[in-house]
Each structure stands twice: as structure tokens, then as C-alpha cells.
Amino acid sequence: MPYMTRLRAATDETVGVHVKIGRERICIGQLESPHELRMRLEIGKPLPIYCGAASKVHLAAMEPDEINAVVRETKLKHLGPGSIRSRSALMADLKALRESGYAISRGGQAAGGITIEAPVGGG
């Protein structure tokens, strides 16, 4: 919590922690932005592992066979105007994340939403 508090104070944006459970991710902690317009997720609500910056962080840590299985099983169903719709686009985003250390999603789940995520902890 102290790290989330400092990050939110530095950015004035919503800060969250997500964990991977099977083929989904779940937000387990969140400090909301003080701005009227802000991103907010329901704590504990399962979300697809292929959509959004937090999901990309989890996918980037997976083996190629597991990533391929996610693509096959989910068919990268469209969720928002910026949803990744192809394996090649997903792989390009994962490559960029591995090189930069962070992921960006623009409208992956909701129009106008932009999220930036980075991995923390020991995997």
C-alpha cells in the first residue's frame, strides 16, 4: 500500500495491482485518482488475460505456447475500440513491453481509457 500511495500522489492517477488467475486477471487492490474523470475497476472482478495493459504484463511473462493457447481459446474477442484483434499485434505489443519495461493500452476495454502498467515483484 505505501508504494501505491506514493505512485498515486506522484501521478494523481488511479493505481492498481492485478494478479493472474488461469486465463483471467483480477484487480486485488486499487487507489483511485482524485480527478472526476478516472479509470476504475471493480475489485475482484475477473477480466480477460489478453486485454489491457495489466494483462499484457502478465502475458509477457508467459511462455510462447501458453500465449498461443490464450489467443486460440479467447480468439481475442473485441472488448473496446482499442482491443488487440490479432496475434501479430499482440506479439508486437509484448515485444515492446519486454524492451521498455512497461505496457500501454488505449481503449482496450473502454473508449477513452488509457492505462500504463509495469511488472512488480518476483514474477
Side-chain angles (χ1 to χ4, degrees), residues 52-53 56 80-84 93 104-116:
K56 291 177 195 177
S83 291
I84 292 179
D93 275 7
I104 298 175
S105 177
R106 291 176 179 87
Q109 294 177 8
I114 299 174
T115 56
I116 300 172

Side-chain angles (χ1 to χ4, degrees), residues 7-86:
L7 184 56
R8 186 191 53 195
T11 63
D12 267 352
E13 296 297 344
T14 300
V15 176
V17 175
H18 303 253
V19 296
K20 176 184 169 286
I21 299 177
R23 296 283 193 247
E24 298 174 318
R25 72 173 158 97
I26 296 175
C27 181
I28 60 168
Q30 179 174 250
L31 293 177
E32 290 187 32
S33 166
H35 299 293
E36 187 174 336
L37 180 62
R38 62 182 168 261
M39 292 293 295
R40 181 191 161 282
L41 292 174
E42 185 179 329
I43 303 294
K45 179 182 177 183
L47 298 163
I49 196 63
Y50 64 87
C51 192
S55 291
K56 291 177 195 177
V57 168
H58 291 292
L59 283 169
M62 292 181 190
E63 295 295 324
D65 288 346
E66 191 174 4
I67 295 169
N68 289 333
V70 167
V71 171
R72 238 185 356 266
E73 291 168 17
T74 66
K75 298 181 181 16
L76 302 178
K77 180 182 172 189
H78 179 75
L79 297 176
S83 291
I84 292 179
R85 302 296 303 271
S86 71

Side-chain angles (χ1 to χ4, degrees), residues 90-103:
L90 176 62
M91 297 312 284
D93 275 7
L94 297 182
K95 181 177 186 258
L97 183 160
R98 290 180 186 116
E99 291 171 357
S100 69
Y102 64 92

